[in-house]
């Protein structure tokens, strides 16, 4: 992998396919920091499951801002 060119590896996919397991294995293998979503902190998630079309944007924006805060902390 070209670590001098890329700072982050992103694992994305549907619920339940093993993203967290893969990310954990990659982080361990490359001795890298692992940043995972914290769904228990997302106040929009329960509403998303009730009405996905209405609450998808707020749910995803929360996760995005959560990651931005984590990356700022690492740099």
């Amino acid at each position: 992998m070209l670590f001098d060119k890329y700072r982050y590896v992103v694992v994305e996919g549907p619920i339940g396919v093993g993203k967290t397991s893969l990310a954990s294995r990659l982080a361990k293998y490359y001795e890298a920091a692992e940043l995972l979503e914290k769904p228990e902190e997302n106040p929009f998630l329960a509403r998303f499951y009730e009405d996905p079309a209405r609450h998808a944007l707020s749910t995803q924006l929360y996760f995005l801002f959560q990651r931005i805060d984590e990356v700022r902390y690492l740099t």
Side-chain angles (χ1 to χ4, degrees):
M1 194 161 224
L2 305 171
F3 286 111
D4 55 335
K5 187 174 180 182
Y6 302 106
R7 290 184 65 178
Y8 303 100
V9 173
V10 177
V11 178
E12 188 272 333
I15 295 172
V17 297
K19 297 178 301 290
T20 301
S21 298
L22 176 60
S24 296
R25 292 183 76 176
L26 287 170
K28 184 177 179 181
Y29 181 82
Y30 288 109
E31 298 177 353
E34 179 180 18
L35 301 177
L36 301 174
E37 290 178 341
K38 298 177 183 104
E40 66 279 358
E41 294 179 9
N42 191 326
F44 304 101
L45 198 55
R47 285 178 271 178
F48 168 76
Y49 285 115
E50 292 170 7
D51 188 356
R54 184 172 181 198
H55 298 288
L57 179 61
S58 55
T59 302
Q60 288 302 313
L61 284 174
Y62 186 89
F63 283 132
L64 173 64
F65 293 136
Q66 189 180 64
R67 278 191 289 283
I68 289 170
D69 287 342
E70 288 177 338
V71 169
R72 279 186 185 153
Y73 177 76
L74 290 176
T75 56

